Amino acid sequence: MTPAGEHAARRTTTRERPVRVGVFGLLGSGNLGNDGSLEAVLGYLRDRHPEAVVDALCGGPEAVTARYGIPATRLHWYRGEYRTASRAGAVAAKGLGKLVDAVRTAAWVRRHDVVIVPGMGVLEATLPLRPWGFPYALFLLCGSGRLFRTRVALVSVGAAAIGNPATRALVRWSARLAAYRSYRDAQSRDALRAMGVDTARDAVYPDLAFALPAPSASEPADPPTGRVCLGVMDFHGGDADRAQAEEIHRRYLEGVIHFTRALVEEGRPVRLLTGDRADAAVVDAIRAAVDSPLVTAAGADSLADLMRETATAETVVATRYHNLVCALKAGTPTLALSYAAKSDALMARMGLGAYCHPAREVDADLLLTQFRTLERRAPELRRTLTGHNLTATRHLEQQFTALTAALFPKTDHPRALRETR
């Protein structure tokens, strides 16, 4: 009997045991958006499938176990996977790691009935990306899922056109091998279709972070008058911009410093937000350039922290995608320093499509003009966001229902069958 046949037979004879669910991705690695997507999926599993036994294959296993209380395994055997290898020993270790990871990933997948990739831009290269890093890891996951008949789901993921042929091929085959796919915007689905993936049965739903609880109305909300939250990013352009990366970063940094200084000169408190540990350098540069007690930095450790920060602001200007999500989810009028089509699509979906400014070409004067227009329309935009947030929550509930039908067949789960009766 083949390994896949043995796995299927074992599943048939142990139908009464709890379903085994794995979560996969660059989780626990310092990116708050990725971890927020994981938190949303764990909430879904605990609500609808409390009998499931859950563990993770991820970038930061210690952090995931400490924060979410689930067992976790390191995604890559070689710990220096995302560092540039220049010495012969490091190059050899990376090469050996690719072979070891193929075996490790297959063994991990084989132990599960379902594997969920929660959100994240796993099918895009809008930031610098090497094909033999995460794209290769995702391909190993989806290929192993097909081999062992473990259902792999890419849930509310982001996708975009990819120029590098190797990265594009790995992404295309990963998507084809997955048992379930949904996207966080229509552009992502269109990008996969353009790469040769049949997306006729794939759906578009909001980003998973919209399923997280909004800040409670009972929480204190008494910021200094006129507080602006400014979400910054260690931005160097996309995967195709490596040659111009430092120049793009310099222009971005100069623009946000100019914008911050203009607000401070008006007596406006500015609260700096990040979404990844790499962004701390940008915060330090802004505070060094604008030496004022009005400029402070938030120590957010989760999307819930970011939502609370944005909920107590009058307005938000943000770069990172999940800084935008948090501000919009909190119902705060928001302007996007947009670095990719996903940001533009998010803003349009939430009714704020007119409030986007290119991150790679920050014009501080034009940004200030757009910002003042945003503030004048703030009451109207808050009402707009309230309606769109209700819609987003409803659509994600529909996705979770569809996900249960696709990944957790009723015949495998007596509890689910009883609930439907």
Side-chain angles (χ1 to χ4, degrees):
M1 184 179 292
T2 66
E6 291 176 358
H7 192 56
R10 184 168 61 254
R11 198 179 266 147
T12 299
T13 59
T14 60
R15 198 169 270 175
E16 293 302 318
R17 63 162 170 74
V19 65
R20 297 168 299 187
V21 180
V23 290
F24 176 94
L26 293 177
L27 310 164
S29 301
N31 185 288
L32 301 186
N34 292 356
D35 291 353
S37 297
L38 168 61
E39 186 175 341
V41 163
L42 291 178
Y44 151 72
L45 291 171
R46 288 164 180 162
D47 177 49
R48 302 204 182 193
H49 302 282
E51 77 285 354
V53 176
V54 184
D55 72 310
L57 184 63
C58 60
E62 297 86 0
V64 166
T65 297
R67 181 178 290 273
Y68 302 109
I70 61 173
T73 302
R74 185 170 297 280
L75 178 59
H76 299 291
W77 172 79
Y78 178 57
R79 289 177 177 264
E81 177 61 39
Y82 294 105
R83 295 195 297 266
T84 300
S86 54
R87 299 172 61 181
V91 172
K94 267 198 172 184
L96 176 61
K98 303 306 173 189
L99 299 176
V100 175
D101 285 345
V103 176
R104 292 174 69 250
T105 301
W108 183 81
V109 169
R110 191 172 185 268
R111 296 196 298 268
H112 295 82
D113 303 294
V114 171
V115 174
I116 296 176
V117 181
M120 305 178 286
V122 297
L123 304 177
E124 64 182 43
T126 53
L127 297 176
L129 183 70
R130 299 295 187 188
W132 304 113
F134 188 78
Y136 174 70
L138 184 66
F139 171 73
L140 291 179
L141 172 80
C142 295
S144 299
R146 182 62 64 93
L147 175 64
F148 296 117
R149 297 186 183 179
T150 297
R151 295 179 287 273
V152 175
L154 310 179
V155 183
S156 285
V157 297
I162 297 173
N164 182 286
T167 304
R168 186 170 60 248
L170 288 167
V171 164
R172 179 172 62 246
W173 278 105
S174 297
R176 285 176 173 173
L177 292 168
Y180 174 95
R181 297 183 299 265
S182 66
Y183 311 96
R184 63 190 180 192
D185 52 54
Q187 288 90 330
S188 293
R189 182 171 60 184
D190 293 345
L192 259 290
R193 184 183 299 120
M195 282 190 271
V197 178
D198 181 2
T199 62
R201 296 184 179 180
D202 300 349
V204 173
Y205 296 100
D207 188 274
L208 285 169
F210 282 101
L212 296 174
S216 171
S218 63
E219 292 179 9
D222 53 351
T225 302
R227 175 189 283 178
V228 178
C229 278
L230 175 60
V232 299
M233 180 177 178
D234 186 31
F235 178 61
H236 292 77
D239 197 49
D241 298 318
R242 294 177 185 271
Q244 300 84 33
E246 291 309 312
E247 176 61 18
I248 290 171
H249 181 68
R250 183 189 64 78
R251 290 199 304 264
Y252 170 77
L253 187 57
E254 287 179 353
V256 294
I257 287 173
H258 187 156
F259 178 72
T260 304
R261 184 176 291 120
L263 293 178
V264 168
E265 288 173 353
E266 297 175 359
R268 303 288 296 275
V270 178
R271 185 75 159 162
L272 300 177
L273 309 179
T274 61
D276 191 286
R277 61 170 64 110
D279 302 335
V282 179
V283 170
D284 292 342
I286 294 172
R287 297 187 73 181
V290 187
D291 185 11
S292 169
L294 290 174
V295 181
T296 59
D301 293 323
S302 67
L303 290 194
D305 291 342
L306 285 177
M307 284 186 203
R308 282 190 288 270
E309 290 284 349
T310 59
T312 61
E314 288 199 4
T315 42
V316 174
V317 178
T319 312
R320 277 202 180 272
Y321 179 83
H322 278 95
N323 277 193
L324 296 174
V325 170
C326 287
L328 297 169
K329 172 75 175 179
T332 305
T334 300
L335 194 157
L337 285 172
S338 175
Y339 68 92
K342 62 185 179 184
S343 299
D344 297 337
L346 171 65
M347 295 293 284
R349 185 168 191 160
M350 298 300 288
L352 276 72
Y355 299 100
C356 294
H357 189 97
R360 65 180 53 245
E361 296 287 349
V362 178
D363 180 332
D365 293 331
L366 177 57
L367 179 59
L368 280 165
T369 299
Q370 291 177 291
F371 175 74
R372 301 197 196 293
T373 303
L374 177 80
E375 290 208 306
R376 284 196 298 271
R377 296 188 58 204
E380 170 195 348
L381 296 177
R382 286 182 181 275
R383 292 191 294 272
T384 297
L385 288 173
T386 297
H388 284 290
N389 273 308
L390 290 172
T391 299
T393 300
R394 184 172 66 252
H395 285 171
L396 282 171
E397 285 297 316
Q398 293 169 358
Q399 163 152 246
F400 291 147
T401 297
L403 196 59
T404 289
L407 301 184
F408 300 90
K410 295 175 185 177
T411 54
D412 284 347
H413 305 287
R415 177 181 179 276
L417 183 58
R418 287 196 302 271
E419 288 182 354
T420 59
R421 290 172 178 169

